[in-house]
Amino acid sequence: MKFLTEFRDPELVHEYVAELHKITTKSWTLMEICGGQTHSLVKNGLLDLLPEKITMVHGPGCPVCVTSVSVIDEAVWLAEQPNVILCSFGDMLRVPGSKKSLLEAKAIGADVRILYSPLEAVEIARKNPDKEVVFFAVGFETTAPANALSVIHASQQGILNYSILASHVLVPPAMEAILSDEANTIDAFLAAGHVCTIMGMDEYYPVAEKYQIPIVVTGFEPVDLLQGILMAVRQLEKGQHLVENQYARSVLREGNKTAQATIQKVFSVNDRVWRGIGSIPQSGYEVNEAYKAHNARIKFFIDIPFAEENKECISGDIMKGLKKPKQCPNFGTKCKPEHPLGAPMVSSEGACAAYYHYNFQPEESGSHI
Amino acid sequence: MPKFDFDVITMGHGSGGLLTHRLLQSGVFDLLKNNLLDQQHDGAMLELNGPVAFSTDSYVISPIFFPGGNIGELAVNGTVNDLAMCGATAKYLSLGFIIEEGFSMKEFWEVLVGIKEAAEKSGVSIVTGDTKVVEKGKGDKIFINTSGIGQIHPKASIHHNRIEAGDKIILSGNLAQHGIAIMSLRQGLEFETDIVSDTINLNFTILSLVETFGQEIKFLRDPTRGGLASVMNELAELRKLGFVLEQEKIPLDEQVEGACEMLGLDPLYVANEGLFVAVVSANIADDFLQKLRSDPNGINAAIVGEVTAANPGKVLLKSRIGGHRVVGYLTGEQLPRIC
């Protein structure tokens, strides 16, 4: 665990915190893109350590949260088809569709399996030639290479009973959608370290330039996050808007070229509906023409009605950084992990889940959010 | 292993007829032999004096063989330990099998041997039993139920209503070993570790602690399903007191910690076997810890937190960095995350 403990070193944390307090003169609002970063901030109690002038708002980087209701409905529909084994990452299972979640479909007999890797799903398809195996390919650019690779493997090995239901989303278009919103108040971004490990940093230079906003590629451990915040605040205090790399132990400027090539081989960029935010042009991946035999949407002629989001869920405002989870009137009352109104309450990276599970406020002080 | 008529369990073995009779006679009774079981009556007729504890548990684990044990050992140790948590020494166990048709006789025998060895080790007698067979697909190899009766130690006074602010929370060893050992074997989780389950009988360990510290031990519980977090939440809710754990003090094997990181699981919610949490008076906490650490089942024991009047009904974790976070109930199953 040495590879982690040094990034959780309390002394280093307090050093960065002290430095932040020293250099911060104005009020700044920073958005961390990734839900993993949100959880780390809340779980480790880092928000309490920041200067009052710094406000962290939580971004859209939780793939589970931004997956639209209609896509969940597609997955549930597929799972309920006879002869289909639907494979998924674990935290998609609790997300509510318009009628039910995958977990509920599983409880009444659908064959839904939790996997850690899409390559396992290819293996299941190989072992069950009389079944159709569908992998629910959700995620940002981070999970896209492995999902693409599963399609390439299946295609090469002639495993025709394997397909994916792709619902990939892309970070840079989402950042632009947030920055173009009139109500936006964000001064700087902490970009998601894992996404940049794959995609590199080049996509962010035009965004930083166009919107005059600092972007710091940041990791997920307490020391990473505080260093990322410190780098962003230093820029803000100096009036800069650079793209910087805090997570250099993982991120190269050009990213992982092999992974990018794998993505390009299997996927094409298309428009995608984000839960709570709406359609963002050119913000997702779909299986391309060359591999359409492995596209579940084509294979199963999925044609289900478009489902409206639950009107009571303000996940869109939360993921655009306009509101905090506790500003939602349904937080912790009508909306709880056991009966969620929206995905951010049940995803392991969801902002609402982070506040619900970890956020502690001492009895004596009132709400600080 | 004795010679059986069949290589696998069939529906007939649960019929109560000839096959059931042969299955029991050709080895099971011999293996688990004791005076009470040998009566071969409808039930065991026992003699007991004074206050007793009575507990039951069903074991439906998959896979049934795992690093560090099998479902048979687990079924004995689990109920023996539940009784130990009442301050009782297990004396008698019942043993019920629900077996799926087609289960291999060889594996059944291995499970039985596990049961025999665990029973011997904890000094408990299996005095009555039952075997049922269900059709293929209606079970998952083998389910076991055990119920147990134990004599409560005269010095024991274990009840959550005795917990007070200021009491110390002690954990007997490394957290999350069992759950991660099981998970490392489940389909699709191909990671190699030498993490083994900590399934073991705790009755002698508990007995000697109760003998020494008596009423200063307020509460005992083995944090099996739901893990340490669930036990703490139950207590916080029942007692309307705060339970504060210190992350830095919680004993955790490095490999288990790594596996939890990788799988996106919180060790506070992962199942344990062979581990217990004790709430004890502050004045004996250090002596209790010292004695526990001299026992083979407690070498990694640590004081991990304390009970507070502040924050009633809440379980808090003080992070290594110094911040606090709420540790709530687990909602449903712990599901692995995307990335």
Side-chain angles (χ1 to χ4, degrees), chain A residues 8 90-91 116 120 357-358 363, chain B residues 188-189 261 311-312 326 336 338:
Chain A
R8 295 176 182 172
D91 44 5
Y116 275 93
E120 294 160 26
H357 289 300
Y358 303 130
E363 294 164 314
Chain B
L189 295 187
E261 283 291 340
N311 304 299
V326 174
I338 288 189

